Amino acid sequence: MRRCKGPPEALLEMIGAILTGEFVFVHQPRSLPVIAYLRLLRFPNVFTALADVALGFALVRHLSAPQPIGLLVALLASSGFLYLAGMVLNDVWDVDIDRRERPERPIPSGQISLATANRLGIGLLIAGVCFGWLASGLFAPQLSQWWKCGAVATALAVSIVAYDRWTKHLVIGPLNMGLCRFLNVLLGASATAPVIQTDALAADHLFFGFDGTSLIAAAGLGIYIMGVTIFALKEAEDSRSATLLAGSLVMLIGLVVFGASPLASYVQPQRSIPWFWALLGLLSLAVFRRVFAALRDGSPRYVQGAIKEAILSLIMFDAALCLLYAPLGYAIAVVALIIPAVFLGRWVYST
């Protein structure tokens, strides 16, 4: 594999290496502050959060008239900012642990100061909540409950802070993390317009303003992320087989629940549910191939590889369900989120 050092005289070589997939950065982190910030933000993972919101938005299309694209953009911004805030505040409040176990990370290594990271995390958190309420305020006439977008964004922010600050190292930590993912999907599903009354769908089919499909899909992904969190408990050291097995089983339960979500729909999906199940099964096999490797060898290399695969696969799971309820182009746009996630993942860790 070629190694490109990036001086001006090697520019053409760099471009060629990038296009052929052979590019590897060898700069020292201190000389690349942008990379340090991307690592602090765990930037490749944010595209999974955006995919969740796109899924939630797609699932409510069959409940109401088409919604303005500006509403989706505002919800995507809210989710993205909140997710990035969670990543930053996680490292801010774990700095003492990282100094012992992960001294190469941006804050303990001195690439980014603790004060700067703290301001960045709080700023991103505020921005995420503001965009949620902006969606509620600007698009109130198009929403059945104008306050729902802002309320879900606020609940998501509280859940993120609770996990990063208090519950992460407690037994309820995985449950809290799953709640964050659950709320993130519901953030997209909060964009419902006044319900269209049909023989198949009535207002009493909604629970707290959400339909069963959205709630079950969100719960499935939440349970799945609970499992990933359990699986990752000892990712920096050799993991116990019992912990990895427990995490794997919870992940599997989450995917089964997620797969059952179309059965709660009161509207006929645009495509065949069995085909969705087949696609979900194939995607799940790709994830569990890495999981099984980690079960055989619990070293950080295999465990972290499985975690990265499990997290990024959320984009594909979301796209598969989008395919049932949205036009093909919409699902393709969600799939496309995997491209920047994988590309940036070459230099920026996901765990």
Side-chain angles (χ1 to χ4, degrees):
M1 182 178 291
R2 287 180 288 174
R3 301 177 67 83
C4 301
K5 298 184 179 180
E9 61 268 26
L11 180 59
L12 292 178
E13 183 184 355
M14 283 182 62
I15 294 173
I18 291 172
L19 293 176
T20 57
E22 299 178 357
F23 179 73
V24 177
F25 257 115
V26 296
H27 290 75
Q28 294 299 318
R30 195 174 294 277
S31 66
L32 286 172
V34 173
I35 296 297
Y37 276 98
L38 291 177
R39 287 174 176 165
L40 177 67
L41 294 164
R42 314 285 203 286
F43 205 78
N45 293 358
V46 74
F47 298 100
T48 70
L50 302 184
D52 287 345
V53 170
L55 170 63
F57 198 84
L59 291 179
V60 298
R61 291 181 73 256
H62 63 286
L63 295 179
S64 57
Q67 294 289 57
I69 190 65
L71 176 56
L72 175 59
V73 171
L75 294 175
L76 289 172
S78 176
S79 173
F81 283 131
L82 289 172
Y83 190 92
L84 295 174
M87 295 297 101
V88 174
L89 294 175
N90 174 77
D91 281 14
V92 167
W93 289 323
D94 260 6
V95 64
D96 291 333
I97 295 175
D98 285 346
R99 282 173 179 151
R100 296 192 305 270
E101 299 180 358
R102 306 174 183 88
E104 75 283 355
R105 288 195 167 177
I107 298 176
S109 66
Q111 298 171 65
I112 300 173
S113 72
L114 181 61
T116 298
N118 189 53
R119 288 194 296 269
L120 176 62
I122 293 174
L124 288 168
L125 193 74
I126 293 172
V129 174
C130 286
F131 269 98
W133 284 105
L134 186 67
S136 283
L138 288 181
F139 300 98
Q142 288 84 31
L143 298 171
S144 57
Q145 295 168 315
W146 71 269
W147 47 267
K148 195 158 58 174
C149 298
V152 174
T154 302
L156 178 54
V158 171
S159 184
I160 288 170
V161 171
Y163 177 80
D164 284 344
R165 192 73 179 94
W166 295 293
T167 70
K168 178 168 45 183
H169 302 295
L170 301 177
V171 69
I172 62 171
L175 179 63
N176 194 162
M177 178 62 84
L179 176 62
C180 291
R181 187 64 63 166
F182 173 79
L183 290 171
N184 194 53
V185 177
L186 292 191
L187 182 61
S190 66
T192 47
V195 177
I196 297 174
Q197 300 295 325
T198 69
D199 292 338
L201 176 66
D204 59 2
H205 290 150
L206 302 180
F207 304 89
F208 302 103
F210 296 101
D211 70 308
T213 302
S214 300
L215 287 171
I216 294 174
L221 291 184
I223 295 169
Y224 174 78
I225 287 299
M226 282 176 57
V228 174
T229 306
I230 295 169
F231 195 90
L233 284 176
K234 299 292 183 181
E235 60 166 316
E237 56 191 73
D238 288 344
S239 298
R240 295 173 55 195
S241 297
T243 302
L244 296 179
L245 182 59
S248 303
L249 291 175
V250 176
M251 289 167 61
L252 182 60
I253 292 170
L255 290 175
V256 171
V257 172
F258 181 73
S261 60
L263 299 178
S265 177
Y266 292 97
V267 175
Q268 183 68 29
Q270 295 185 13
R271 295 172 181 85
S272 169
I273 293 178
W275 278 109
F276 161 68
W277 287 337
L279 179 56
L280 182 62
L282 290 174
L283 294 171
S284 301
L285 285 176
V287 173
F288 278 91
R289 176 180 61 87
R290 290 291 191 95
V291 168
F292 293 146
L295 285 170
R296 290 193 301 268
D297 184 339
S299 64
R301 173 190 173 190
Y302 286 96
V303 172
Q304 291 176 6
I307 295 167
K308 180 178 180 179
E309 182 85 12
I311 293 173
L312 294 183
S313 292
L314 283 166
I315 295 174
M316 305 305 293
F317 296 150
D318 289 338
L321 190 52
C322 282
L323 198 57
L324 275 183
Y325 293 99
L328 178 61
Y330 191 100
I332 291 174
V334 175
V335 170
L337 293 172
I338 201 72
I339 298 174
V342 171
F343 182 78
L344 289 171
R346 308 178 100 184
W347 302 284
V348 182
Y349 45 70
S350 299
T351 63

